[in-house]
Amino acid sequence: MIEERNSQEAAHQRCIKAACRETYGLKERLYVCRRCGGLLDVETSFAALGNASALRALWQTRLASFDVKDRSGVWRYRELLPFAETVSVVSLAEGNTPLYEAPRAAEYCDLPALKLKHQGCNPTGSFKDTGMTTAVTQAVIVGARAVICASTGNTSASLAAYAARANLACAILVPQGQVSSAKLAQSLDYGARVLEIEGNFDTAMRVVRELSEDESIYLVNSINPFRIEGQKTVAAELLQQLDWQVPDHLVVPGGNLGNSSALGKGFWELRELGLIDRLPEISVVQAEGAAPFEQFFAQHDKAALDEDVPQDFVPIEHPATLATAIKIGAPVSWEKAWRAIHWTNGRVLSVSEQQIADAKAIIGRDGIGCEPASATTVAGIRQLVQQGKIRAGESVVAVLTGHILKDPDYVMNYHRETLDFEDSSGERKGIHGTFANQPIRVKADIQSIMQVLDQLGEVR
Ligand code: F0G
């Protein structure tokens, strides 16, 4: 029997710092602890939820329902969320993303099998929607007049859409000239005020944090714990698709580090609830030129994981990567992501621009498109297999975070062999189109076309 939760009383916000742990009500509009500046968690009491098999059965039943909340791949798992059953939700039927077998990507990684959870199949084309539905719902609950975020393009596109659904004023701050036009186009079409600022994502993040000190402006970057709440439900959806068999490895890209934080929390809570009895190892993959978390992880060996979280995190001043979604030097959620790595005995690694580009093309050959940041996962898995950290018999899921159409220029440049990359020292390097598939110019007559087709042979 599943008890209905009638209020938000069974939950609160709490500082994650072990030495503080200050609590706040759910409706308090703050993003970090007032006492110590630590990040906040939403903590929900699951005491009244009943047993694991009843929850599984309930979630299974909802798959056949047309109710707005049941159609959402986030609100379907609402027992995990800190909202009253009666809440009116701001939803675009997010989640419900496919879990694909990817045989060519598996072969590329030297694995017998590999699954890709494609979060790019969300309504605005990225995983951000799963957190935006809860964050914008919370914005309405707290009576925000305007919502705001800093973004490398996907958070802003997602926020713009959900703000439009909720009829809230919306402003987004993006680094000028560093966001793909596809992502900007979305935000414009959804009616957000698009503010292009000088500087990079980290500058924009600093500015929106200052702006949100004004209570009427609600910040929905992943520093907002209500974002994390929505994003954590991806763990439940994935496990349901896997018939509750926990994969050995879950591999995600790392930028601002909200996603890895959320997935860690999601799996942790599902184990607390008895829905699973172990956790997947979470590996976070960064781009080599924007890898402050990888550098931090490398400096603190595994033994340190059992002690207090080290505080000597060093941001990177000039992050550089063609995977613009994760071009971030000062990730706000590093401490929560560190916790996720700790909980799951995971790791952090980085991959080169060439490796990202080739992995992306290989994912494409499975008929699955993704944006460059997402391809860090397959490049990272290949590296982990080579290092013996993932073994052939183990089950592996990579999370693809954004859709291929988010950055078509990158794709065209790779296949035309015109992709190049300027690193943080200003040096330009060409990216080789290892799996390039160039467009072919041909006369519009049957004979010429047949001649080309004859010469093609096997594309692969
Ligand atoms: N992949 C994509 C496609 C992203 O857009 C992002 C982040 C990430 C991975 C990294 O996720 O930040 O949770 O570690 N994009 C943010 C944005 C920063 O503004 O759209 P993370």
Side-chain angles (χ1 to χ4, degrees), residues 1-240:
M1 179 60 196
I2 307 295
E3 298 271 331
E4 221 178 62
R5 215 189 340 256
N6 289 319
S7 70
Q8 289 189 296
E9 278 158 27
H12 51 256
Q13 303 186 73
R14 177 175 249 175
C15 175
I16 68 164
K17 297 264 192 202
C20 178
R21 308 293 284 146
E22 181 77 348
T23 60
Y24 301 93
L26 281 190
K27 289 191 182 166
E28 285 204 56
R29 218 184 293 179
L30 73 177
Y31 313 98
V32 289
C33 177
R34 283 201 197 100
R35 193 157 82 179
C36 76
L39 296 174
L40 299 172
D41 263 338
V42 170
E43 281 187 350
T44 306
S45 163
F46 300 126
L49 277 189
N51 68 41
S53 57
L55 260 183
R56 276 190 214 145
L58 176 68
W59 293 341
Q60 197 65 27
T61 312
R62 286 180 183 158
L63 288 174
S65 156
F66 286 103
D67 176 88
V68 170
K69 284 186 195 164
D70 295 343
R71 289 316 309 150
S72 162
V74 172
W75 297 99
R76 182 175 305 134
Y77 308 98
R78 52 192 173 271
E79 286 70 23
L80 303 174
L81 297 173
F83 292 90
E85 180 68 24
T86 49
V87 71
S88 166
V89 302
V90 184
S91 173
L92 283 162
E94 51 289 318
N96 300 305
T97 59
L99 180 65
Y100 293 124
E101 285 292 347
R104 288 178 192 85
E107 190 186 335
Y108 181 69
C109 295
D110 205 13
L111 284 173
L114 173 61
K115 288 188 165 67
L116 305 178
K117 173 75 173 153
H118 203 340
Q119 293 295 91
C121 296
N122 267 289
T124 76
S126 86
F127 73 101
K128 307 287 181 180
D129 296 344
T130 56
M132 213 49 85
T133 183
T134 45
V136 174
T137 295
Q138 181 68 9
V140 174
I141 289 173
V142 299
R145 276 195 309 113
V147 281
I148 197 167
C149 72
S151 182
T152 55
N154 280 328
T155 301
S156 47
S158 180
L159 174 60
Y162 282 84
R165 301 296 299 173
N167 210 7
L168 287 174
C170 170
I172 61 168
L173 266 71
V174 292
Q176 196 180 323
Q178 296 178 43
V179 172
S180 89
S181 54
K183 295 177 186 177
L184 269 188
Q186 287 183 288
S187 298
L188 292 171
D189 222 36
Y190 301 142
R193 285 270 154 220
V194 177
L195 309 177
E196 298 184 291
I197 59 139
E198 275 174 40
N200 59 20
F201 169 83
D202 302 306
T203 322
M205 191 67 225
R206 206 182 53 237
V207 174
V208 290
R209 285 185 71 170
E210 279 172 32
L211 278 170
S212 63
E213 280 168 23
D214 177 334
E215 277 244 324
S216 66
I217 300 174
Y218 194 63
L219 178 64
V220 292
N221 277 99
S222 54
I223 194 168
N224 182 326
F226 291 90
R227 269 278 304 282
I228 301 292
E229 287 304 292
Q231 282 177 211
K232 79 179 183 188
T233 63
V234 175
E237 184 177 273
L238 171 65
L239 285 165
Q240 192 176 19

Side-chain angles (χ1 to χ4, degrees), residues 242-259:
L242 290 169
D243 199 18
W244 300 97
Q245 301 298 305
V246 180
D248 295 310
H249 297 271
L250 185 79
V251 184
V252 293
N256 215 14
L257 299 173
N259 199 24

